[in-house]
């Protein structure tokens, strides 16, 4: 029966019934004349989620990593310099990808649990007076440490020294769950995927591309074929796809957009914030600490939580799975064994979150953690009880 339990991993996330049904459709022809009636509004609605009116959205059958590869190979050339901060496993993997494509990677090393340091980015860019740096890369939400970074601050640091590099944001675990503003923050390439905030199966990379980034495709020489933006945008403009699209997944994406835009993006963000805050109340009731070093860095989609000294977080997540049939995120990279993660994004309610907190408490107790059963759950309950949407209206009535 454990397949009835929600997962608390930060992707792939829980797929709501409505989306599973939406994907259960017969094959339809992506070369039929009516495919454009489906595709064009889908791409338009994706722009609303990225908050761009001037950019375009490109989709590839791939996981999010393919979106990174598309962003890099379409806009850069081997030998180009890129500036990036490393503060977790995902920013680390992005650096690796750039290096393997022959880019010159200028890494700002940060402690894990810190966010992207806008001041250090600014100093490096100001010192780059001949504008050798072509790309500035930032992981908006570092899923390994549960840290959200201020992309707007990076943009301001770039503008303050008039640096013309393009800005790349990994928003795989933030888009459609936390505020993201492609146009306002001047993001040139925004990389996401289908299996996190969009609540779908893995299988689609979703990339926001600015006009400047599109122009860069004309001169960039990194090899690319399958992931070429121009092939995709050209085919999309004619109502098609350059190869076979995952049509069932796209039906799911259609429905996901209807759900997200129907709830209202700001309400989606508020829901994520409230659920996350309840989880954070539980963490502090347990007497544990988050990897994220300060409240302004707390992610509303994932919390990485240090286990007490002498305990191994991998043993905890294993026991939660074996004993209770509930999946939590393991510690990645430097965090292996030291921290576990609670993914709280996508299709989730406060009541579902409470079940996850209760399950991990049982696993903690089984392992002899110094906690009282129900302490974290009670702290979250109290928060959820007193902040439930509409409570002010009901009090007044
Ligand atoms: C999930 C994730 C990715 C992409 O991973 P895939 O497994 O390739 O979909 C990239 N960056 C971050 C921050 C992520 O959370």
């Amino acid at each position: 029966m454990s397949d009835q339990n929600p997962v608390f991993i930060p992707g792939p996330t829980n797929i709501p019934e409505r989306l599973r049904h939406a994907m259960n459709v017969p094959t339809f022809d992506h070369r039929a004349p009516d495919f454009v009636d489906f595709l064009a509004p889908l791409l338009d609605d994706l722009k609303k989620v990225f908050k761009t009116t001037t950019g375009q959205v490109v989709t590839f059958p791939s996981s999010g990593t393919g979106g990174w590869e598309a962003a890099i190979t379409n806009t850069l050339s081997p030998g180009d310099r890129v500036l990036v901060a490393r503060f977790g496993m995902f920013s680390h993997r992005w650096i690796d990808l750039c290096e393997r494509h022959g880019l010159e990677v200028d890494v700002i090393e940060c402690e894990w649990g810190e966010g992207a340091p806008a001041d250090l980015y600014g100093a490096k860019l100001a010192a780059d007076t001949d504008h050798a740096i072509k790309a500035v890369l930032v992981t908006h939400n570092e899923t390994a440490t549960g840290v959200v970074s201020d992309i707007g601050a990076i943009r301001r640091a770039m503008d303050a020294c008039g640096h013309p590099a393009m800005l790349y944001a990994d928003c795989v675990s933030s888009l459609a769950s936390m505020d993201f503003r492609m146009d306002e923050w001047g993001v040139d390439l925004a990389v996401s995927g289908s299996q996190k905030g969009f609540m779908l199966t893995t299988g689609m990379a979703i990339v926001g591309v600015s006009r400047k980034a599109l122009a860069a495709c004309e001169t960039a020489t990194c090899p690319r074929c399958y992931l070429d933006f121009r092939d995709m945008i050209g085919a999309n403009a004619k109502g098609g796809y350059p190869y076979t699209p995952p049509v069932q997944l796209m039906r799911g994406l259609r429905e996901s957009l209807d759900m997200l835009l129907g709830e209202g993006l700001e309400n989606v963000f508020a829901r994520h914030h409230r659920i996350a805050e309840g989880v954070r109340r539980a963490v502090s009731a347990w007497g544990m600490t988050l990897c994220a070093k300060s409240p302004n860095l707390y992610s509303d989609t994932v919390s990485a939580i240090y286990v007490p000294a002498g305990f191994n977080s991998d043993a905890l997540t294993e026991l939660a799975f074996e004993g209770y049939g509930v999946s939590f995120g393991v510690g990645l990279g430097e965090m292996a064994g030291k921290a576990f993660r609670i993914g709280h994004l996508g299709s989730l309610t406060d009541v579902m979150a409470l079940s996850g907190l209760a399950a991990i408490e049982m696993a903690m107790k089984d392992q002899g953690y110094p906690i009282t059963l129900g302490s974290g759950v009670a702290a979250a309950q109290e928060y959820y009880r007193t902040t439930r949407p509409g409570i002010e209206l009901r009090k007044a009535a």
Side-chain angles (χ1 to χ4, degrees), residues 63-65 68 90 93 139 141 143 170 172-173 195-196:
S63 80
T65 306
W68 277 348
F90 289 90
R93 284 181 49 207
T139 301
N141 190 71
T143 317
D170 170 353
V172 183
S173 63
Q195 82 275 25
K196 297 190 182 173

Side-chain angles (χ1 to χ4, degrees), residues 119-131:
D119 51 342
L120 297 184
Y121 273 92
K124 289 262 191 189
L125 292 165
D128 179 39
T129 46
D130 54 358
H131 298 161

Side-chain angles (χ1 to χ4, degrees), residues 288-289 305-313 316 337-340 364 369:
M288 295 186 192
T289 44
I305 301 150
Y306 285 115
V307 295
F311 292 92
N312 185 312
S313 61
L316 179 70
K338 294 185 199 157
F340 72 100
M364 287 178 187
Y369 278 52

